Amino acid sequence: MKKKPSLKDIALKVGVSTALVSYVLNGKNTERISKEVAKKIKDAARKLNYRPNHIAKSLKTNRTNTIGLIVADIANPFSSSLARIIEDEAEKNNYTVIFGSSDESSVKAEKLTDILLGHQVDGLIIAPAENTESQIKRLQKQGIPLVLIDRYFPGLKVNFVAIDNFKASYEAVCYLMDAGYRRIGIIGFNTGLLHLQDRQNGYTAAFRDRGLPLSESWIHQVAIDQTTGEEVQSAVHKLISLPEPVEAIFFSSNKISTEALKYLNTLPLKVPKDLAVLSFDQSDAAELFYASLTHIWQPLEELGQRAVNILLASISGNKELIQVKLDTRLVVGKSTRANKSGSRVARS
Amino acid sequence: MKKKPSLKDIALKVGVSTALVSYVLNGKNTERISKEVAKKIKDAARKLNYRPNHIAKSLKTNRTNTIGLIVADIANPFSSSLARIIEDEAEKNNYTVIFGSSDESSVKAEKLTDILLGHQVDGLIIAPAENTESQIKRLQKQGIPLVLIDRYFPGLKVNFVAIDNFKASYEAVCYLMDAGYRRIGIIGFNTGLLHLQDRQNGYTAAFRDRGLPLSESWIHQVAIDQTTGEEVQSAVHKLISLPEPVEAIFFSSNKISTEALKYLNTLPLKVPKDLAVLSFDQSDAAELFYASLTHIWQPLEELGQRAVNILLASISGNKELIQVKLDTRLVVGKSTRANKSGSRVARS
DNA sequence: GTGAAAGCGCTAACAT
DNA sequence: ATGTTAGCGCTTTCAC
């Protein structure tokens, strides 16, 4: 690799000091620099194909204009969509994104954080994995600009942008109940992550508030940190094989619904006639499945954009604690029926 | 943000020179450093929660251990899956990934390249957008370690890892022909990107080699750089509304097939009975659609891993030109029939 | 208007 | 076995 041209090379070529070159190229103190010199410098820079060395600049300014992003798995559409939004919003503000996938492992998350901080990112956007509360706390104590996304720890006074998972689930399950469904199963993750627990809590709360019976056999949990295809299939299988099979299943994430729908495709049973399904998270799955999926839509754009803006504000010294819970929307598709016993609304 | 501890702080605390601290913390020259001092230094580093400043290190060493990744759109599952693989492979080699989405725009691609290079990435992995040949050429002339992925420019002597798109398409279309399909439509992108053109060329070549008639009305192209939902729908609609409707459609990318399948879901027609479909690229869509998709599978793992390894070799000074074309696999699903006129294989 | 020089945190060649 | 020092490319203060 040829040596890259530096400020000095330009200075030498034009016959001025590096300081002047720096001023001109950064548009600083322009009023007190002669037009001719400025032009000469710019020309030389162009001719040498000069590209400022951000590394050197950063060392001096203590700013890298880089933000670190830690998601669970960049290959998951939820994460990658978010990443794209964050990338765009960051770019608008002249920031670049470094990323890493934690795989829901606190060990990987910690290592990743170290690496990103080693690269001197100006701040971090983190979808925190389970058991990383202490890491987050430590980062905060070190004064590192930080905003959690998608998930948060209720005890921690740390910026976050998330959705109201409890409410979203609650409303979704109520929707099913209003439609006449009674035996409603749920497949969720077996995890300590509050935002995922909330989805299950919303589910149980709906039963409680409506005074409807809830059977333990309707609740299934799968592991979050490994391929869950088989586990999900087995859960679905159990739910529909009960002496009194469930009439509807609520999938608490896109990963789960994708696996479940794949499985349902192999079964003779028909959605929504024989079984209704409803899922958290939008995804292509919603429309690719033969019965377009009724699902809980998350405001990804807003989630990502606000995270970036809160982070940038924090980087600029804003000390205010900002915690945002955004609302979701229930998008009704064909995988559930507005009125379970269709005949009730039959016309004359 | 509190000032971060530096080598100097440790040196001061322990009462040694920064050089010693650097040696100890980097495990260099360990043989000639006393155990006690080494221990003291390590303890101090831990106590101060020292994290090496990669920026400073980079300035000195001219290595950032960062690679820049430019994809078309990180939100596309193809890109994000690849990104994940690249991330993992990079991490194994102690590298971090900075990324950006070009949106298939040469202007964005150039800007992105500049930004990533400004951050002093050690090398670039690029899925080049249309009309970026000159950019790539320039990068190469500057001696920047480089490997193209997924796409390449046949004229350029630049490293690449890609697949044989022509062959993959050719074989896929032949498969359809062998199954008895004759009126086979294709929906591809209207683009100058060779790898996408190759997919269409493979299609036409199959007709030519088999001596089968091909109608212009079977070939449709949609724009690549914008949401193509409507365009795809309209293309599908035209293909199945021909006086002699096509019997099969070949979608030349995951983006196209996803949109097309969504549309097919809204139609009364049944796959594969009324229409067979076959797609390039694996994706969840393959199994979520009611008739699991016959598709061309790409070796993403190998694609990503080899790209990283070739890049790292190049960064380490390897001058050898490496151009790899990997083979794909046709995965047969239920969206096509092995024998179009099913009766022919009917048993007794 | 312009330049000299210090220094960001680190490494490595060169002392001692 | 440990220390000194120059310098990576840049910004910025201060001097002329």
Side-chain angles (χ1 to χ4, degrees), chain A residues 28-45:
Chain A
K28 286 188 180 168
N29 299 324
T30 50
E31 41 336 315
R32 42 199 207 78
I33 293 170
S34 73
K35 288 240 174 203
E36 315 98 76
V37 177
K39 186 171 180 321
K40 270 204 249 174
I41 290 176
K42 281 181 191 159
D43 286 350

Side-chain angles (χ1 to χ4, degrees), chain B residues 44-317:
Chain B
R46 200 178 354 264
K47 195 147 38 170
L48 289 175
N49 196 13
Y50 172 74
R51 244 189 294 261
N53 184 334
H54 281 215
I55 289 285
K57 190 176 194 160
S58 298
L59 187 57
K60 184 74 189 170
T61 59
N62 248 323
R63 283 287 208 98
T64 56
N65 274 39
T66 305
I67 69 185
L69 171 65
I70 299 182
V71 295
D73 177 7
I74 193 73
N76 182 303
F78 177 82
S79 298
S80 65
S81 302
L82 213 46
R84 179 58 204 266
I85 292 159
I86 288 171
E87 178 201 342
D88 286 349
E89 192 67 17
E91 202 260 320
K92 267 188 217 156
N93 294 279
N94 205 20
Y95 268 74
T96 306
V97 180
I98 307 190
F99 76 96
S101 307
S102 73
D103 269 335
E104 303 290 1
S105 140
S106 62
V107 177
K108 271 200 92 174
E110 177 144 37
K111 195 172 163 214
L112 220 50
T113 313
D114 267 359
I115 292 174
L116 297 185
L117 288 180
H119 282 279
Q120 309 302 115
V121 295
D122 292 340
L124 290 167
I125 296 180
I126 303 179
E130 208 173 340
N131 301 322
T132 56
E133 192 166 353
S134 57
Q135 292 175 34
I136 302 293
K137 225 183 281 183
R138 199 164 347 113
L139 290 174
Q140 194 183 28
K141 211 154 62 186
Q142 291 170 55
I144 290 159
L146 195 62
V147 33
L148 306 185
I149 194 164
D150 181 41
R151 310 145 176 213
Y152 63 95
F153 301 103
L156 284 191
K157 298 216 177 315
V158 179
N159 298 328
F160 69 73
V161 188
I163 57 160
D164 193 332
N165 287 280
F166 179 91
K167 188 175 161 208
S169 275
Y170 183 92
E171 289 174 355
V173 173
C174 284
Y175 171 82
L176 288 176
M177 291 171 168
D178 287 341
Y181 295 99
R182 286 297 171 268
R183 295 194 303 279
I184 304 169
I186 183 172
I187 304 182
F189 286 120
N190 179 13
T191 169
L193 285 168
L194 177 82
H195 78 295
L196 294 177
Q197 289 177 348
D198 269 352
R199 297 182 183 179
Q200 187 173 313
N201 294 338
Y203 163 88
T204 38
F207 279 91
R208 193 194 53 223
D209 289 2
R210 294 288 175 108
L212 291 173
L214 169 55
S215 160
E216 273 300 323
S217 63
W218 298 345
I219 302 178
H220 281 266
Q221 295 193 327
V222 298
I224 191 174
D225 54 353
Q226 53 202 26
T227 325
T228 55
E230 270 183 42
E231 263 190 295
V232 171
Q233 291 189 12
S234 132
V236 172
H237 177 76
K238 282 181 191 149
L239 287 171
I240 58 178
S241 308
L242 289 170
E244 287 204 303
V246 296
E247 302 158 332
I249 307 182
F250 173 35
F251 305 121
S252 81
S253 95
N254 66 346
K255 227 168 133 185
I256 293 175
S257 67
T258 299
E259 292 303 332
L261 295 183
K262 284 184 192 173
Y263 178 58
L264 289 180
N265 264 335
T266 68
L267 302 181
L269 124 187
K270 280 302 157 208
V271 173
K273 192 168 66 67
D274 308 318
L275 178 74
V277 295
L278 187 155
S279 173
F280 224 101
D281 297 332
Q282 62 270 41
S283 76
D284 281 333
E287 286 170 87
L288 285 172
F289 192 62
Y290 63 86
S292 65
L293 213 53
T294 299
H295 63 270
I296 294 165
W297 176 92
Q298 297 199 38
L300 289 187
E301 294 269 331
E302 206 181 342
L303 224 44
Q305 291 177 354
R306 296 201 61 169
V308 172
N309 290 324
I310 293 170
L311 183 65
L312 295 187
S314 171
I315 290 173
S316 314

